[in-house]
Amino acid sequence: MSKAPAARRIGILGGTFDPVHIGHLRSALEVAEFMRLDELRLLPNARPPHRDTPQVAAHDRLAMVRSAVQGVERLSVDARELARDKPSYTIDTLESVRAELHADDQLFLVLGWDAFCGLPSWHRWDELLQHCHILVLQRPDADVEPPDELRNLLAARSVSDPTAMSGPAGHISFVWQTPLAVSATQIRQLLASGRSVRFLVPDAVLAYIEAHELYRVPN
């Protein structure tokens, strides 16, 4: 009998990536290495229900993310949400990804602390753990308290060691990270004022922004 393939470990990190920057990329790489993921997919959102409409078009944001991860081991890009003509609900994405994986493969949804605390407002949020584990990027400066619904969920589903989460889905754990003081909002403001964002975004992303004159205030 042929031996069953080893279970894969796949991570998903969603965001508008408007634009993608070193904070996103460093977090993604640290998680991929720490969790020994086979792949961590950066997944650009098309029309995120909980955030403002991205400033630049989906095809530009996708191109920047692709250029940012090109040649980086373990990091990849998943464009499935950009192909939808409706708001990007995470539960739909998880169902779609899970349908493509082997039953034993582990799927990890990577969330920042603020996003995690907002989970109870997400569409069908109580079904997320049927399809994935949740990895929360916890930072020393996080000062938001989780709502009661999440306290109950954490009591039932949390695992202290994120590398010890077993099975394809169903648990929550925390990965501590030292934050990089950089944000997409800050980058957009700098570009709008004509200032440099070099070293805040990868060189390939900066080259794309300059070539396509993105985030500039029209004269």
Side-chain angles (χ1 to χ4, degrees), residues 3 77 105-106 111 155 187:
K3 194 174 180 181
V77 181
D105 289 343
Q106 291 186 300
L111 298 175
I187 290 168

Side-chain angles (χ1 to χ4, degrees), residues 27-199:
S27 292
L29 188 59
E30 286 185 7
V31 169
E33 291 183 340
F34 177 72
M35 293 297 296
R36 296 193 176 102
L37 300 181
D38 294 290
E39 181 184 5
L40 193 151
R41 304 176 183 179
L42 275 68
L43 196 141
N45 306 140
R47 292 165 52 198
H50 297 281
R51 302 191 64 172
D52 294 336
T53 300
Q55 188 168 325
V56 305
H59 70 271
D60 286 320
R61 292 184 290 114
L62 177 60
M64 287 188 285
V65 176
R66 282 179 168 158
S67 69
V69 304
Q70 186 173 9
V72 182
E73 188 178 2
R74 302 187 196 221
L75 300 188
S76 64
V77 181
D78 189 321
R80 75 185 65 221
E81 288 198 357
L82 300 182
R84 293 192 193 134
D85 58 358
K86 60 180 182 178
S88 301
Y89 291 121
T90 299
I91 185 65
D92 296 333
T93 298
L94 291 174
E95 288 176 338
S96 174
V97 173
R98 175 54 71 186
E100 299 169 359
L101 301 179
H102 188 275
D104 293 332
D105 289 343
Q106 291 186 300
L107 183 60
F108 299 90
L109 176 64
V110 182
L111 298 175
W113 175 247
D114 289 345
F116 177 70
C117 288
L119 274 189
S121 67
W122 289 25
H123 181 58
R124 294 166 56 198
W125 76 279
D126 53 346
E127 300 175 34
L128 297 176
L129 288 175
Q130 296 175 20
H131 306 285
C132 68
H133 297 297
I134 293 178
L135 281 175
V136 184
L137 303 179
Q138 180 65 292
R139 312 188 318 180
D141 59 350
D143 57 3
V144 178
E145 290 294 322
D148 289 341
E149 300 101 313
L150 285 183
R151 292 179 187 276
N152 297 333
L153 188 66
L154 285 168
R157 299 295 189 96
S158 64
V159 175
S160 59
D161 180 0
T163 63
M165 287 192 286
S166 60
H171 298 113
I172 302 169
S173 195
F174 293 83
V175 177
W176 284 89
Q177 291 203 314
T178 302
L180 291 174
V182 54
S183 72
T185 300
Q186 170 197 14
I187 290 168
R188 292 194 301 268
Q189 290 172 345
L190 287 170
L191 288 167
S193 64
R195 298 168 67 187
S196 174
V197 296
R198 192 172 187 192
F199 308 125

